[in-house]
Amino acid sequence: MLRKFLNFIFLGLVFPVFRFLKKEFSEFFLSQKPKFTARYWKKKWQGFRNFNWSKARPSSFLFLFRWAYKLGLFLLVLALSFYLAIYMGALGHIPSRKELKATQNSTASEVYSADNVLLGRYYLQDRTNVKYENISPAAIEALIATEDARFYEHSGIDFRSLGRVFVKTLLMRHESSGGGSTLSQQLAKNLYPRKDYLLWDMTVNKIREMIIARKLESIYSKQELLELYLNTVPMGGNLYGIERASRRFFNTSADSLKTEEAAVLIGMLKATTSYNPRLDLERSRKRRNVVLNQMAKYEFLTQTKADSLKQLPLTLRYRYETHNDGMAPYFREMLRQELVKWCATQKKKNGDPYNLYTDGLKIYTTLDAGMQAHAERAVRQRMAALQKQFDAHWQGRSPWGNDPAVITNALHRSERYKKMKAAGKSEDEIRDVFREPIQMNVFSWSGISKKNMSPLDSLRHHQKFLNTGLLAMEPHTGYIKAWVGGINHHVFKYDHVRSRRQVGSTFKPIVYAAALEKGIAPCTFFPNERQTYTEHEGWSPRNANEVYGGEYSMRGALANSVNTVSAQLIMQAGVEQTVGLARRMGIQNELPPVPSLALGTANLSLMEMVRAYASFASEGYNVQPVYIERITDRTGKVIREHQQPNTNRALSRTNAAIMLQLMQGVVEEGSAGRLRTEFGLKMDIAGKTGTTQEQADGWFIGITPNLVTGVWVGAESPKVRFRTLELGQGSRTALPIWGDFTKRVAQDPAYVGFYNSRFKALPPELQARLACESYREAAPDQNIFERVFDSITDKVNQTYDDWKNQRKSRREEKKRERQEKRKNKKN
């Protein structure tokens, strides 16, 4: 029976078609008649128009039937040719099965903290892919009920829906009859966007989508298609996929969507702008109810349940964040710049370089989300209070006085100025634009507001703000734990963790360490006398408080930041030797090879200074800062992992321990005493405050047993500052932020042991070397022989102590090696 049917088809349709084609093509191409001329076809058309149908014979109608038959076959062949042209890719690329199997959405790369908190994302399309099992069943059901009720019954093309569209939409003009595209066809459209084919635009695109849909159905299961669709679907603007839409509109994950929430998001698919609940809540609510009705119609919900859900108000928990928002924006921007360069050098299997914005990388950092949150809160609270004090200090006056260079320099640094200058605008033209009021984002500690203000007035407004940087690092591993680059990334883009400013007295511990390395004993007393160094162009450093007299040991001189003693120490240790030690401790920027370096005249970054101080806490080793633990691709494969770098010794273990003891004096008896009295901190703390000329910069770098934290405070221009040392010194500007941050961490139950942490106890011989008072009245003059003898004695004692400590360290290392070998043998 089947054979007879096939023969009928062949003899009745296919065979005549081939005969017709053979005849027509032979006549058309081999005949000598001029069928390719306009005159020939015009004559044929005139004959058809002038034909007298009333006198037509039966043979004439047979003739018409024959031509209709020929025309039908011709159109069929034309349609098949048209289809084959599309299928073969002549009218636009048709992906192969291999391409479709390898389909990957443009996926955002994500940055995570060490405790697995999502810090931020880098993307061109805001999308996070999720597995089918991590999507709420309500979203799946709402999608099928609304967009493709027979999804599980067809293989990519729903002919019943196509028939409905043809009859109701095209013939009867019922626009509400719905579309004929299946979910698979919509997925094809999302993956391979439509192209412009002029008059054939809709026809070609529809056929392309049908072809791709059939291929998708043959490759993926129904669940995989739903997963791919819900990860691909545009949700308005730059938002893609059910996961990001759930986060944006309801601040929840895709697997936690409630039925009424899922109905809102699925309802948006019809028109993402018209039914956006952020733009039109009432219209979105009505569309949600339509989706709920559809779910009831196809028995995904009972009618009673659907009716009850329709009565609920549409409540949004909208959360829209830009790259300026969220946790650690300055850190993420620094990371972005580095990763873009790194990705360009790394190749995927196909030979293409990685793309940070589309390849869905997972970047796992060393940042501690808890510490970062504490740091940002401390900065926000303390800087708001400090700014209030600063504004009152300068009330009615500009902090830069009558110096126009402050605003001029700020104007030249602005992006608006640089773009206009690059476009060839003159200075006068640029100034005119900067005087024209426009709508601007204006920062204040009560929030960012939009105001009509000229760019020039905006510059003046923002130049009045003090800014800050905070960096916390584990000294033994180099892991960065907190990074705050400024007070607000929306307005102040400059990262003050990496910016270079004059470091002031925070450089003095490096000078003291160089003196210890030179062999100067910590209990050597130095006269607090102002001296003039004629060999250095009459350089004559003076103390900030202009108080002189008496003698200081190293502990007392560092605690009280005595400039005259720092000058004597760098002269005895040697400027070149001090610079060399600073280099070994990790300082890379330029250091002026002059004695005034002892007072902190160098311009260095907070990153460099924290790294240098970490050498004191890591027993003298220079530890490289680390902020990336590992990076994985979208499949979870590790493509970069932190390898413990080789650490280099910067200074001896003994002198590093001595420096920790000396810097504890700054807290116990010096300028950082309020850390105990005001903040109630009980752990061991070593540190140093710093204040630069005319109070332009305030610093405090503090060391606790497991953390080194540095804070800088100042304005964008060094000319914007407090007028008095009492208000502008580092102990009044930077230290409170450090104390607030450390107190928050100490009180957090997540950091058990931090509150009472202690440095490693000094051996008795080192304690003996430090057993001296911090200050004494000037001793009577000694003769030259006594001073030389005392100096030699101190040197011999220190050399002997160092030799004993080295022998003890070697014995301990050998003991550990033996224990490790025994342990390995047992295993």
Side-chain angles (χ1 to χ4, degrees), residues 268-306:
M268 286 177 62
L269 300 183
K270 185 176 181 179
T272 54
T273 300
S274 298
Y275 297 115
N276 187 321
R278 178 73 172 176
L279 303 177
D280 194 328
L281 197 65
E282 180 58 24
R283 194 171 186 180
S284 179
R285 186 189 66 80
K286 291 178 179 178
R287 178 62 183 164
R288 176 201 69 178
N289 293 348
V290 170
V291 174
L292 292 172
N293 284 335
Q294 288 293 104
M295 294 178 73
K297 176 182 177 180
Y298 292 104
E299 299 182 351
F300 291 113
L301 290 176
T302 64
Q303 191 60 54
T304 304
K305 179 67 173 175

Side-chain angles (χ1 to χ4, degrees), residues 440-454:
M440 309 266 312
N441 286 328
V442 179
F443 173 80
S444 71
W445 278 107
S446 59
I448 294 177
S449 58
K450 289 188 178 294
K451 293 183 179 179
N452 280 330
M453 178 183 287
S454 72

Side-chain angles (χ1 to χ4, degrees), residues 587-813:
I587 291 176
Q588 299 171 336
N589 278 307
E590 182 182 357
L591 292 169
V594 293
S596 60
L597 179 65
L599 308 185
T601 54
N603 290 309
L604 304 174
S605 69
L606 184 59
M607 171 70 83
E608 290 176 293
M609 293 304 296
V610 167
R611 179 180 179 182
Y613 273 56
S615 299
F616 299 134
S618 61
E619 300 183 334
Y621 286 101
N622 168 25
V623 180
Q624 176 80 25
V626 178
Y627 36 81
I628 299 176
E629 283 194 273
R630 69 185 187 280
I631 301 175
T632 64
D633 64 14
R634 67 171 74 216
T635 67
K637 178 185 175 183
V638 176
I639 56 177
R640 171 175 168 178
E641 192 165 19
H642 169 64
Q643 303 294 330
Q644 192 65 36
N646 295 322
T647 55
N648 301 313
R649 181 164 288 285
L651 69 162
S652 71
R653 179 182 286 105
T654 298
N655 288 334
I658 290 174
M659 283 306 305
L660 284 180
Q661 290 296 313
L662 296 182
M663 286 192 288
Q664 285 184 72
V666 177
V667 178
E668 305 304 331
E669 55 189 84
S671 56
R674 61 191 298 200
L675 292 175
R676 301 293 190 206
T677 57
E678 181 179 336
F679 294 95
L681 300 177
K682 303 297 183 184
M683 74 287 292
D684 283 349
I685 304 172
K688 185 69 186 78
T689 55
T691 310
T692 61
Q693 293 177 349
E694 297 183 319
Q695 304 79 240
D697 306 275
W699 294 77
F700 182 73
I701 305 176
I703 305 171
T704 57
N706 297 306
L707 202 65
V708 180
T709 306
V711 179
W712 166 88
V713 172
E716 184 177 342
S717 170
K719 295 184 179 181
V720 177
R721 58 192 182 274
F722 281 102
R723 296 193 305 276
T724 65
L725 180 63
E726 181 184 2
L727 293 176
Q729 60 187 313
S731 61
R732 296 294 299 271
T733 59
L735 183 139
I737 298 174
W738 193 98
D740 198 333
F741 164 67
T742 306
K743 182 178 180 179
R744 289 172 186 272
V745 175
Q747 293 177 342
D748 191 333
Y751 306 100
V752 177
F754 188 87
Y755 186 76
N756 290 307
S757 55
R758 296 285 178 263
F759 292 125
K760 188 182 294 185
L762 289 178
E765 58 270 22
L766 277 186
Q767 292 182 22
R769 288 179 60 186
L770 291 166
C772 58
E773 55 190 344
S774 297
Y775 173 83
R776 70 185 184 188
E777 295 297 330
D781 290 339
Q782 293 178 305
N783 60 48
I784 184 66
F785 298 107
E786 289 176 332
R787 290 200 298 271
V788 170
F789 179 76
D790 288 345
S791 176
I792 293 173
T793 302
D794 289 339
K795 180 67 175 177
V796 169
N797 288 337
Q798 182 175 3
T799 303
Y800 177 69
D801 290 341
D802 290 344
W803 175 75
K804 283 175 60 181
N805 290 332
Q806 290 174 1
R807 286 196 62 191
K808 184 178 179 181
S809 298
R810 285 197 294 269
R811 286 197 300 270
E812 290 176 353
E813 288 177 5

Side-chain angles (χ1 to χ4, degrees), residues 69-80:
Y69 173 69
K70 287 184 178 183
L71 180 62
L73 290 177
F74 179 76
L75 292 176
L76 177 61
V77 171
L78 185 65
L80 288 172

Side-chain angles (χ1 to χ4, degrees), residues 35-51:
K35 294 186 177 181
F36 290 103
T37 65
R39 183 179 177 184
Y40 172 83
W41 292 106
K42 187 176 181 180
K43 184 178 179 180
K44 285 283 187 181
W45 175 245
Q46 288 295 334
F48 178 78
R49 289 184 61 185
N50 297 330
F51 184 77

